[in-house]
Amino acid sequence: MNAVALVKQVPDRNSVFRPAGPWIDESSLGYGINDYDRYAVEAALELREAGAVKQAVVVTAGPDEASQAIRTCLAMGMDRGIHLVCPRASLADPFRVAKALAGVVRAQDAGIVLAGLLAEDSGHGQVGGLVAGLLDMSWASAVTAVRFRDGKLEVERELESSRVAVVELELPAVVAVQTGANTPRYASLRGIMASRRKPVERIEPPELANPDSCDARIRSLRLAKPERAASAEILEGAPDDVAAALIPRIRSGAGIVLGGGAS
Amino acid sequence: MNRRVLVLAEPEGDGVTEVSHELLAAAFRLAGDGGPVSAVLPTPDASASMAAAETLGGAEVLLVEGPAHDGRTGEETAAAVRAAVEVTAADLVLLPHTATGWDAAPLLAARLETAVLTGVSSLQWSEDGLTAERQAFQGKFVHEVGTKRLPAVATVERGAFPARPAGSAAQVRTLASPLSLERRRSRLLEIRDAASEGVDLAASDVVVSAGRGMGGPEHLHLVEELASALGGAVGASRAVTDAGWLPHDRQIGSSGVTVAPKLYVACGISGAIQHLVGMRGSRFVVAVNKDPDAPIFGAADVGVVADVKDILPALTRALTGADG
Ligand SMILES: Cc1cc2nc3c(=O)[nH]c(=O)nc-3n(C[C@H](O)[C@H](O)[C@H](O)COP(=O)(O)OP(=O)(O)OC[C@H]3O[C@@H](n4cnc5c(N)ncnc54)[C@H](O)[C@@H]3O)c2cc1C
C-alpha cells in the first residue's frame, strides 16, 4: 500500500501578476510548489517513515517545467514521481485534471491519497474530492491530522468557530490537507543528490491535451482586479513623514489616546 | 425560463444555519418567476427536523432520512443531496462555502460528472449555462467562470446574499436516504473545541497583526514594539502561525479569533477573505503592505504602500517620542 501526493506547480506568490483576459499573463513568472501541497507531501513522508505505507509517490499535471515540482518533492524524500504532461491552460478545469489524476492513482496501490486543500492560484479547492468521488474512495477535506488505526484512517478536520471533527475513513481514502497540519521539511543536499536517481514516469493524458476541449466543465472567462467599494486613503513617502501623518488619523479614526511623543 | 434550484439546509439548534437562509435567498433570485426552489435537509430523524424544515420560507423541503445521517460528513451530505437532485430534477445545487461544502460539493460533483463553482459571490444564468464570480489568487483578483453543464454545483461564500427571512415552507416531504450504515465509508467520531486559551485578543482595543510579509520571526520584534507603543496586543495571519513564528492562539480569521478593536494594524498581510472575516468589525484599520494591489487595502481606512521594516520602526519612534 502506497501514499500518493497530488501536487500543483503555481506561480511564485511574490510575482507581479497582470490580468490578461481570462487569466493572468504567465509569460514571465517564476513557479514553485503550491504551499498547501507541501503539507500533503510532508504528511505522505511521515506516513512512510512510520512504516504505514510502502512508497510515497508524487503526481503532478502540468507543462515540462512542472517536472521541477516533482524534483523538489523527490528531494524532500518522495520515492518516485509521475508527471502528467499537458499545457498549463488545461489545468483551468478541475474536473478534467481530477479525471486524469484519478486514472493514474488507480494504478498506484494507493491506500491514501493526499492533496492540498486548494491551489494558491486558481483556488478551486476540489481536485482531491473529485478524485475521491471518481474512484469511489472515502474522503475528508481541511484535514489537519492523519493517523492509521485498526486498518482505517482517522483524521481531524478543521470546522468553523475553532472546532475540530474527528472522522474515521475506510481505506482507500483521499484527504485534502490544510496548512499547519505539520512542518514541511526542506530538501537536504543529500536529498537533492538522491533525487537525481529516482524514477519519474511521463504520461500524456488525452483528457488534458486540448485546453479548449468542449469537454471542459469549468471555463475561465475573465480575471480582473476587484472594484473596491470603500478604498483606503493611501499614504506614501518617507517613513517618518508617513508616521507623522498616521498618528492624527489613528487618533481621530480609532478614538484612542496615544501615549509618548504623540500626545 | 424556469430553473430549478436546490439548496442544502443544515440543521442547527431548532432551525438551520444562517448561511442556509442565504442560500435560499440566492436560490429564489436565480429561480426567477417563482420557479421552484427546493431545500434538502439530511437527518437521522425526520420528525425531529420538522421545526427546522418549517423555517425554510417558501421552499419545497425534502427531509432525507436515514440512520447514516448522524454525522454530516461529506459522504453523508453528498448522498442526501444527490437523492434530492434526482427527485427535484434540479438545474443548480447550492451549498455553503464552509467546511460542509468543502467536504460535500466535490463528491456530489463527481457523481454528476461536473466540477464545482467554488466560493462564488454572485451567480447568473447565461445563454448556455451559468456564470459566476469568485476570487482567485487568494483574493487578489475577481475570477469570472462559466459552466455549460447542468445540473451545476456551486458553493456560495458566506455573506454574499442577504439571508431570506424565516417563514413557513411551501411543502415538506420525507425521503428515505439511499445511504445505509453498511455502505457508509466515513464516520464522525467526535466534534471538539480546539483549545485556545491564552492572550485575550478579542478584548484588546488595539491589535497589531503580523503577516508573512514580515519576512521571518527575526523581524517580529517590530510588531511587538509597535503594539506596545500603542498599548495593544499582537495578532497574526494564519501564514505566520502555521510557520510557527507565533503561537496559534494569535491567529485572527475564520479559523482563528474574531476581533473588533478600535484600531487594527495589518503588517505585511495580503487580506485573504479568511483573514478579513476575523477583523472586519474593527473601527479603524491601518494596512502596511508593499503591494499596492493587496486586497487588504480594500478593507482598510488608511493604507501605507511601503516596506514594513521601514514604516513600523518609524511609527513606533513617533509614538514613543524616541529620537529617529
Ligand atoms: C479554510 C481556510 C481557513 C483559513 N483561515 C485563516 C484564518 O483564520 N486566518 C488567516 O489569516 N488566514 C486563514 N486562511 C489562509 C488565508 O487564505 C491566507 O493564506 C493567509 O491569510 C495569508 O496570510 P498572509 O496575508 O500573512 O500571507 P500572504 O498572503 O503571503 O501575504 C503576505 C503579504 O505581505 C506583503 N509583503 C511582503 N513583504 C513585505 C514587506 N517587506 N513589507 C510590506 N509588505 C510585504 C505581500 O505583498 C503580501 O500581500 C485560511 C484559509 C483557508 C482555506
Side-chain angles (χ1 to χ4, degrees):
Chain A
M1 180 172 87
N2 298 320
V4 178
L6 309 178
V7 167
K8 184 179 184 185
Q9 191 187 48
V10 296
D12 200 13
R13 75 166 76 85
N14 294 317
S15 317
V16 176
F17 297 110
R18 278 179 302 271
W23 197 235
I24 52 163
D25 172 4
E26 293 196 287
S27 53
S28 56
L29 295 174
Y31 286 84
I33 295 182
N34 177 40
D35 196 40
Y36 289 80
D37 300 342
R38 293 166 55 239
Y39 295 87
V41 167
E42 176 63 31
L45 292 172
E46 289 176 9
L47 289 172
R48 190 203 54 207
E49 284 159 4
V53 297
K54 199 157 150 254
Q55 281 193 325
V57 185
V58 54
V59 184
T60 199
D64 278 331
E65 306 92 276
S67 60
Q68 190 49 48
I70 292 190
R71 283 292 156 207
T72 306
C73 297
L74 296 178
M76 284 171 77
M78 299 295 279
D79 298 302
R80 58 186 171 89
I82 302 172
H83 183 172
L84 304 185
V85 186
C86 69
R88 219 180 273 285
S90 288
L91 304 179
D93 177 25
F95 186 79
R96 282 183 305 155
V97 172
K99 198 128 201 204
L101 290 170
V104 172
V105 165
R106 194 181 276 127
Q108 302 308 315
D109 185 25
I112 177 169
V113 179
L114 305 109
L117 179 57
L118 56 87
E120 290 174 78
D121 55 354
S122 55
H124 289 300
Q126 57 182 290
V127 164
L130 289 173
V131 168
L134 291 170
L135 294 179
D136 226 350
M137 291 166 79
S138 57
W139 148 255
S141 72
V143 163
T144 51
V146 289
R147 48 192 171 255
F148 283 99
R149 176 171 293 180
D150 304 331
K152 292 183 179 165
L153 196 67
E154 194 174 289
V155 304
E156 292 182 13
R157 288 196 70 214
E158 186 177 286
L159 306 179
E160 285 77 26
S161 317
S162 300
R163 285 172 312 142
V164 175
V166 184
V167 179
E168 182 185 84
L169 301 176
E170 276 176 31
L171 299 181
V174 184
V175 297
V177 182
Q178 170 64 300
T179 57
N182 48 43
T183 308
R185 68 195 67 187
Y186 290 96
S188 64
L189 197 57
R190 233 181 76 209
I192 295 169
M193 302 298 286
S195 74
R196 303 209 176 114
R197 294 185 302 273
K198 292 179 178 173
V200 179
E201 188 183 343
R202 275 171 64 100
I203 298 173
E204 291 183 21
E207 296 94 322
L208 296 178
N210 174 13
D212 304 315
S213 157
C214 55
D215 234 23
R217 301 309 203 269
I218 288 187
R219 258 163 235 282
S220 203
L221 302 176
R222 194 176 65 99
L223 193 82
K225 285 187 188 173
E227 283 171 32
R228 287 182 191 138
S231 60
E233 176 193 5
I234 298 294
L235 301 179
E236 272 167 300
D240 288 321
D241 298 341
V242 169
L246 265 174
I247 287 173
R249 286 171 172 77
I250 290 175
R251 192 181 285 130
S252 64
I256 54 173
V257 180
L258 298 174
S263 49
Chain B
M1 197 193 321
N2 270 11
R3 300 285 201 177
R4 294 171 179 274
V5 185
L6 171 70
V7 308
L8 173 70
E10 283 179 281
E12 183 181 69
D14 294 338
V16 296
T17 53
E18 172 80 2
V19 69
S20 304
H21 292 293
E22 295 174 8
L23 296 181
L24 268 189
F28 275 99
R29 197 176 294 183
L30 281 155
D33 297 339
V37 167
S38 312
V40 49
L41 196 154
T43 175
D45 177 0
S47 60
S49 298
M50 272 308 184
E54 276 301 341
T55 67
L56 298 166
E60 294 174 4
V61 182
L62 280 167
L63 297 171
V64 177
E65 183 187 39
H69 292 287
D70 56 355
R72 297 197 227 154
T73 62
E75 179 185 26
E76 293 168 25
T77 305
V81 177
R82 174 78 206 280
V85 169
E86 266 166 31
V87 172
T88 59
D91 297 303
L92 170 64
V93 185
L94 302 179
L95 296 105
H97 194 59
T98 60
T100 301
W102 285 93
D103 230 24
L107 289 184
L108 173 68
R111 290 282 173 277
L112 299 173
E113 299 247 320
T114 192
V116 189
L117 307 166
T118 54
V120 306
S121 54
S122 77
L123 283 156
Q124 218 166 2
W125 297 110
S126 63
E127 224 159 88
D128 54 359
L130 190 74
T131 64
E133 281 191 335
R134 56 188 299 279
Q135 295 188 338
F137 290 87
Q138 317 246 52
K140 225 177 159 102
F141 298 115
V142 177
H143 188 203
E144 195 188 326
V145 290
T147 185
K148 294 181 182 169
R149 180 143 183 131
L150 303 183
V153 181
T155 61
V156 178
E157 199 62 73
R158 275 183 296 177
F161 294 86
R164 186 177 167 89
S168 44
Q171 188 193 65
V172 182
R173 280 190 292 164
T174 303
L175 198 72
S177 174
L179 183 67
S180 64
L181 287 173
E182 298 73 52
R183 279 190 38 214
R184 188 168 71 165
R185 304 188 60 230
S186 52
R187 186 164 67 96
L188 178 73
L189 300 179
E190 68 164 322
I191 291 184
R192 56 179 154 77
D193 287 319
S196 101
E197 269 152 61
V199 276
D200 195 359
L201 271 177
S204 286
D205 274 349
V206 176
V207 176
V208 184
S209 282
R212 179 145 46 200
M214 289 307 301
E218 67 277 19
H219 302 299
L220 290 187
H221 68 97
L222 299 175
V223 171
E224 279 150 15
E225 284 152 16
L226 178 58
S228 107
L230 287 164
V234 172
S237 72
R238 180 164 186 147
V240 163
T241 54
D242 278 345
W245 300 354
L246 282 171
H248 276 284
D249 58 10
R250 304 283 177 149
Q251 184 184 314
I252 287 164
S254 64
S255 54
V257 188
T258 299
V259 298
K262 292 179 178 163
L263 172 64
Y264 189 84
V265 187
C267 310
I269 292 178
S270 62
I273 185 155
Q274 296 90 354
H275 187 79
L276 299 184
V277 298
M279 47 67 74
R280 250 181 201 152
S282 307
R283 186 189 296 174
F284 195 72
V285 176
V286 176
V288 185
N289 196 304
K290 67 177 184 188
D291 174 6
D293 291 330
I296 190 72
F297 291 128
D301 296 287
V302 176
V304 183
V305 180
D307 193 317
V308 284
K309 290 181 212 83
D310 297 329
I311 294 299
L312 267 48
L315 187 55
T316 304
R317 272 197 307 273
L319 286 163
T320 55
D323 287 337

